[in-house]
Amino acid sequence: AQTVTQSQPEMSVQEAETVTLSCTYDTSESDYYLFWYKQPPSRQMILVIRQEAYKQQNATENRFSVNFQKAAKSFSLKISDSQLGDAAMYFCAYRSAFTSNTGKLIFGQGTTLQVKP
Amino acid sequence: GAVVSQHPSWVICKSGTSVKIECRSLDFQATTMFWYRQFPKQSLMLMATSNEGSKATYEQGVEKDKFLINHASLTLSTLTVTSAHPEDSSFYICSARTGNRKAEQFFGPGTRLTVL
């Protein structure tokens, strides 16, 4: 079975600085997707970034980028130029790419990010 | 992005009553819908997966007679908490996706259930 681990329950960053959230996963599959979701105080889940396992290039979305290390099964999220609105709980998630799979997500425990003004 | 709605956003009920929560995909056909439960400051726990027209698949440890899930159409899934008790109080989130292999899940805004 696949597992996702986020070892940092809480992180803090100064506004305008850069922070990296860690995520490791375990799987025996070769084709899968990885995601970072943001859950602000409103509790609406927001997709931040996604990575396809067969793509070597790290995904980037504006100030958000990932460091995907497939061999090490590591998928960290870097937030550059942190803003107050980035304060939220961040979840790393895994999804199998096999069509027999229903597409369910496996979530990590979450990391609460505090942004200090 | 696609929109998923949930209704109600907040419900309070008495112990022993049943509560129904609706999840709708507003601008796409949801082949698959998911129901999650989330406790404060914790991760999302998948309760069940439902495909339109089929019985839901429940995760281990989730009481299927307690949490009834119906996915009657490609745009609507319902979760009914039967004979609710205070320990059922939680935040319930649904998500939906199409059948496309690369399709992502779109999440509803969640429903806060409080059982007195």
Side-chain angles (χ1 to χ4, degrees):
Chain A
Q2 297 83 24
T3 59
V4 177
T5 302
Q6 293 177 250
S7 58
Q8 306 157 315
E10 296 180 354
M11 292 282 285
S12 68
V13 63
Q14 208 69 36
E15 196 175 5
E17 303 273 298
T18 296
V19 65
T20 298
L21 307 184
S22 301
C23 172
T24 58
Y25 60 95
D26 191 27
T27 184
S28 58
E29 297 178 332
S30 57
D31 197 10
Y32 49 87
Y33 302 94
L34 295 167
F35 305 85
W36 278 98
Y37 284 91
K38 170 185 178 181
Q39 189 180 42
S42 68
R43 303 189 80 169
Q44 172 71 60
M45 294 287 284
I46 301 166
L47 177 64
V48 175
I49 200 164
R50 66 181 270 166
Q51 175 79 41
E52 299 180 53
Y54 62 86
K55 288 189 175 178
Q56 299 279 358
Q57 190 171 7
N58 289 323
T60 299
E61 287 288 341
N62 300 313
R63 299 182 293 107
F64 300 87
S65 61
V66 297
N67 183 1
F68 174 47
Q69 301 290 326
K70 191 172 184 179
K73 295 179 182 173
S74 170
F75 183 61
S76 61
L77 174 70
K78 185 172 82 171
I79 305 174
S80 303
D81 185 25
S82 296
Q83 300 175 0
L84 294 177
D86 294 334
M89 196 159 187
Y90 287 82
F91 293 99
C92 178
Y94 171 103
R95 193 186 95 208
S96 172
F98 288 97
T99 53
S100 59
N101 185 277
T102 57
K104 69 179 184 181
L105 292 167
I106 298 169
F107 286 96
Q109 300 90 329
T111 297
T112 299
L113 177 66
Q114 180 186 26
V115 180
K116 298 178 180 177
Chain B
V3 179
V4 175
S5 70
Q6 273 184 249
H7 178 80
S9 56
W10 181 51
V11 58
I12 300 175
C13 69
K14 292 182 178 180
S15 186
T17 61
S18 294
V19 174
K20 181 183 285 188
I21 302 170
E22 292 187 348
C23 175
R24 293 182 184 272
S25 56
L26 299 185
D27 50 5
F28 68 100
Q29 293 187 323
T31 307
T32 306
M33 287 184 165
F34 305 86
W35 286 95
Y36 298 87
R37 184 173 181 177
Q38 186 181 32
F39 292 106
K41 298 189 184 299
Q42 293 188 24
S43 188
L44 281 70
M45 182 191 80
L46 180 65
M47 300 173 67
T49 303
S50 72
N51 292 296
E52 186 264 338
S54 303
K55 287 185 177 180
T57 301
Y58 290 81
E59 294 297 304
Q60 193 171 10
V62 177
E63 300 175 62
K64 57 182 69 176
D65 294 331
K66 173 84 165 162
F67 299 99
L68 300 179
I69 292 171
N70 183 281
H71 191 162
S73 76
L74 285 172
T75 60
L76 173 65
S77 177
T78 59
L79 166 67
T80 302
V81 183
T82 62
S83 186
H85 289 95
E87 57 266 29
D88 298 324
S89 298
S90 190
F91 192 69
Y92 293 88
I93 303 174
C94 75
S95 69
R97 67 187 296 265
T98 67
N100 185 294
R101 179 177 176 270
K102 290 193 171 187
E104 63 179 88
Q105 284 188 32
F106 296 97
F107 287 82
T111 297
R112 182 179 303 280
L113 170 63
T114 301
V115 184
L116 302 176

